[in-house]
């Protein structure tokens, strides 16, 4: 499996502070069945989270050398999770920011409260400059939970939507879980990612745990598209495969119903 969204690099954002924690995450990734991880540290203009591309690239190379030395199969690729900014397209064009694994896909962090009023202009600028926008965890945005219309607009504008494995597991609260599952049923989700930050709570294992929930919502072909095929297509710079809306939601298992009711 490929993870397109991960805070695995040490000492660069709110991910692991030290290399030993990074290696612990790498082991957890391997146990969960991942073989490629795009390291996507936060890049938020005007904050201390604004690593230079060279810093991310050299950290990725450093971690990869250690992974080889440790006899591990997992490999990292460089990327960033970039904050919304009017300067994004220009910064990406002059290579002052990183795309996902050097492709045209850009992982854009969806704000947790509200989208800026001029978000459509930013998407337009990015698209005009030849980039494809992948919105990270839109299901966690309060505005979009209450009104999904802007997500429909994102799709209309050619954007792609990535939800977190942890969201469908309910780790980010009931509203987020409901929003993520609704998006899956509407056929709006292009891929899932861990967005993991450590090896304990926001861990790579959520990819395995989340698969069971995903299989309750989508048919096997659609599960394959959002969990496996589209992350590969991102790395190959190919257009992503859309998923059809779920016509008749699958019946939840008894245990699952009981679990949801308890929350
Ligand atoms: Fe993230």
């Amino acid at each position: 499996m490929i993870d397109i969204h991960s805070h695995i690099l040490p000492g660069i954002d709110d991910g692991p502070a030290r290399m030993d924690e990074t290696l612990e995450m790498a082991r957890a990734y391997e146990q969960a069945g991942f073989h490629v991880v795009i390291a996507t540290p936060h890049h938020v203009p005007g904050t201390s989270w604004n690593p230079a591309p060279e810093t991310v690239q050299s950290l990725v190379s450093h971690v990869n050398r250690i992974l080889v030395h440790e006899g591990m199969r997992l490999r990292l690729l460089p990327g960033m999770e970039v904050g919304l900014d009017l300067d994004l397209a220009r910064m990406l064009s002059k290579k002052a920011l990183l795309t996902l694994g050097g492709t045209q896909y850009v992982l854009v962090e969806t704000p947790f409260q509200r989208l800026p009023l001029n978000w459509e202009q930013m998407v337009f600028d990015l698209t005009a400059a030849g980039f494809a926008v992948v919105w990270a965890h839109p299901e966690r945005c309060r505005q979009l939970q209450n009104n999904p219309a802007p997500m429909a607009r994102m799709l209309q504008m050619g954007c792609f939507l990535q939800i977190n494995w942890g969201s469908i597991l309910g780790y980010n609260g009931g509203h987020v879980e409901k929003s993520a599952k609704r998006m899956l049923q509407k056929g709006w989700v292009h891929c899932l990612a861990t967005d993991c930050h450590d090896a304990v709570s926001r861990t790579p294992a959520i990819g395995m745990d989340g698969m069971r929930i995903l299989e309750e919502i989508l048919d096997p072909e659609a599960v394959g598209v959002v969990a496996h095929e589209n992350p590969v297509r991102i790395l190959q710079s190919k257009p992503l495969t859309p998923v059809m809306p779920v016509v008749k939601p699958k019946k939840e298992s008894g245990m699952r119903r009981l679990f949801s009711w308890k929350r």
Side-chain angles (χ1 to χ4, degrees):
M1 277 176 81
I2 294 171
D3 192 14
I4 66 150
H5 184 169
S6 172
H7 301 268
I8 189 173
L9 294 178
I12 200 165
D13 59 3
D14 54 348
R18 301 183 316 267
M19 184 61 82
D20 59 319
E21 296 171 76
T22 292
L23 293 180
E24 205 183 327
M25 287 174 76
R27 282 184 207 102
Y29 263 119
E30 284 205 337
Q31 276 166 18
F34 289 91
H35 65 287
V36 172
V37 169
I38 308 183
T40 52
H42 293 283
H43 189 289
V44 187
T47 72
S48 57
W49 288 348
N50 58 356
E54 301 73 34
T55 306
V56 177
Q57 281 156 338
S58 82
L59 256 178
V60 164
S61 303
H62 183 48
V63 173
N64 278 336
R65 276 194 297 274
I66 296 176
L67 293 176
V68 171
H69 184 260
E70 294 285 313
M72 296 173 72
R73 205 173 138 252
L74 189 80
R75 293 295 175 266
L76 306 190
L77 291 171
M80 281 179 182
E81 179 183 15
V82 297
L84 275 172
D85 189 271
L86 270 175
D87 217 18
L88 265 185
R90 195 183 64 83
M91 297 273 283
L92 282 157
S93 297
K94 66 173 193 172
K95 300 196 185 303
L97 295 173
L98 293 174
T99 59
L100 290 174
T103 66
Q104 85 274 29
Y105 288 100
V106 183
L107 186 67
V108 175
E109 178 161 34
T110 312
F112 288 108
Q113 292 300 325
R114 293 192 66 78
L115 294 165
L117 291 174
N118 50 1
W119 70 269
E120 288 189 40
Q121 183 62 51
M122 297 178 203
V123 169
F124 180 82
D125 291 346
L126 285 165
T127 310
F131 298 104
V133 175
V134 179
W135 288 95
H137 47 64
E139 78 280 9
R140 299 189 67 185
C141 174
R142 183 64 66 97
Q143 174 195 4
L144 300 178
Q145 288 161 14
N146 298 327
N147 172 25
M151 283 196 281
R153 178 71 185 133
M154 289 171 178
L155 295 168
Q156 199 181 34
M157 293 183 81
C159 299
F160 303 100
L161 307 184
Q162 171 259 303
I163 64 169
N164 287 359
W165 286 107
S167 296
I168 61 172
L169 285 163
Y171 291 176
N172 299 310
H175 289 298
V176 175
E177 180 183 355
K178 212 166 137 189
S179 170
K181 289 181 173 175
R182 206 186 297 130
M183 287 171 65
L184 281 165
Q185 286 169 350
K186 285 180 177 226
W188 285 3
V189 176
H190 293 89
C191 64
L192 285 95
T194 70
D195 190 12
C196 71
H197 284 63
D198 57 54
V200 182
S201 54
R202 300 172 80 179
T203 160
I206 55 176
M208 272 196 312
D209 299 340
M211 191 65 85
R212 284 190 281 276
I213 309 297
L214 191 62
E215 286 166 352
E216 288 176 4
I217 302 169
L218 300 181
D219 64 51
E221 196 186 328
V223 168
V225 169
V226 296
H228 301 287
E229 183 185 325
N230 277 340
V232 172
R233 293 180 77 84
I234 285 175
L235 279 188
Q236 294 172 335
S237 278
K238 288 183 177 166
L240 302 193
T241 304
V243 168
M244 296 300 286
V246 176
V247 180
K248 191 171 168 234
K250 284 187 186 176
K251 226 174 155 190
E252 288 188 339
S253 69
M255 281 307 287
R256 183 71 199 151
R257 256 199 325 270
L258 182 66
F259 186 60
S260 317
W261 178 78
K262 275 186 169 175
R263 261 199 317 273

